[in-house]
Amino acid sequence: DAGVIQSPRHEVTEMGQEVTLRCKPISGHNSLFWYRQTMMRGLELLIYFNNNVPIDDSGMPEDRFSAKMPNASFSTLKIQPSEPRDSAVYFCASSLVGTGGGYGYTFGSGTRLTVV
Amino acid sequence: DAKTTQPTSMDCAEGRAANLPCNHSTISGNEYVYWYRQIHSQGPQYIIHGLKNNETNEMASLIITEDRKSSTLILPHATLRDTAVYYCIVRGYNFNKFYFGSGTKLNVKP
């Protein structure tokens, strides 16, 4: 199993540009999560999907952020337009969630975004 | 989800047991205790979880008090590679979301 795959690993972009982060969850997992990590705010949950449907996007900072999951094997997080304060490491995680509890997440290696 | 309280940092000598405490005094009956760790620049890594019984796996042991208001993660023989931030999280039975707090920075020293 290749684990959760995120691309790109590093992204440097200029303020105002559109940025798209990509995630491939573990095959068979039914839930996908996007997190953002900064020194100031730690790990923040942005949005999560269950069976490709967005369930809770209350953590998405503003309308500049959007996320999609067109199928069970792919998700994107888009920032348009990007701003310097969006600079952070963005993590994707997936999980098999169902009755019985006790399911953990598997995280990807993250995308380090720098907006200049 | 119940909130958790962890020390900001701890030191441990290499080869010794590392005992990381976590308080979760408002935990409810169907909430699990999870532990994750994050080694510098990597994604968080699942370690162990439990409901009320003590648990052990190849990475660590989890000791949960009888009243479930606190728990301890034990790394039996810490190595330098165990230096990381350790997060204690309480999550509901069918509740999907994990909220990460500040965690404990464990420094394993030679």
Side-chain angles (χ1 to χ4, degrees):
Chain A
D1 191 344
V4 176
I5 301 172
Q6 292 187 245
S7 64
R9 288 298 307 274
H10 302 274
E11 177 80 37
V12 180
T13 190
E14 293 185 347
M15 182 174 63
Q17 296 298 306
E18 177 180 295
V19 175
T20 299
L21 311 181
R22 296 172 176 79
C23 176
K24 176 179 170 56
I26 289 175
S27 177
H29 281 186
N30 60 2
S31 293
L32 183 140
F33 308 82
W34 282 100
Y35 283 83
R36 176 174 69 175
Q37 186 171 36
T38 61
M39 288 293 292
M40 291 297 294
R41 301 173 68 91
L43 273 161
E44 301 174 278
L45 177 62
L46 301 178
I47 185 171
Y48 84 90
F49 295 83
N50 186 250
N51 293 321
N52 312 337
V53 176
I55 303 299
D56 186 346
D57 65 354
S58 59
M60 296 286 262
E62 48 196 276
D63 292 346
R64 297 184 298 106
F65 286 69
S66 63
K68 294 182 179 180
M69 192 166 186
N71 56 62
S73 59
F74 184 66
S75 176
T76 59
L77 178 67
K78 185 178 294 185
I79 308 172
Q80 166 63 21
S82 59
E83 297 182 3
R85 59 192 170 121
D86 302 330
S87 297
V89 180
Y90 290 81
F91 289 104
C92 175
S94 70
S95 178
L96 177 60
V97 178
T99 58
Y103 294 101
Y105 290 9
T106 301
F107 280 81
S109 300
T111 295
R112 182 174 295 277
L113 173 66
T114 303
V115 183
V116 298
Chain B
D1 284 339
K3 291 185 178 179
T4 62
T5 305
Q6 299 177 254
T8 302
S9 65
M10 295 181 62
D11 291 337
C12 178
E14 188 178 19
R16 305 297 294 268
N19 296 279
L20 291 90
C22 179
N23 287 321
H24 31 79
S25 58
T26 60
I27 193 170
S28 61
N30 63 356
E31 290 183 316
Y32 285 75
V33 179
Y34 282 78
W35 284 84
Y36 279 76
R37 74 179 182 183
Q38 187 174 25
I39 297 170
H40 181 63
S41 298
Q42 299 180 20
Q45 176 190 23
Y46 166 82
I47 301 173
I48 198 168
H49 73 277
L51 184 61
K52 50 186 171 183
N53 297 321
N54 297 338
E55 302 288 343
T56 295
N57 62 21
E58 65 278 3
M59 290 182 68
S61 294
L62 174 60
I63 308 297
I64 303 174
T65 58
E66 192 168 343
D67 63 8
R68 304 209 324 122
K69 293 185 177 182
S70 65
S71 60
T72 301
L73 178 74
I74 300 172
L75 307 178
H77 306 286
T79 70
L80 298 178
R81 287 175 294 181
D82 292 322
T83 292
V85 177
Y86 287 77
Y87 297 97
C88 169
I89 303 162
V90 172
R91 196 193 80 169
Y93 184 78
N94 275 322
F95 196 62
N96 293 347
K97 298 182 285 187
F98 281 105
Y99 290 102
F100 289 80
S102 300
T104 296
K105 177 69 166 66
L106 177 67
N107 298 300
V108 180
K109 301 185 175 182

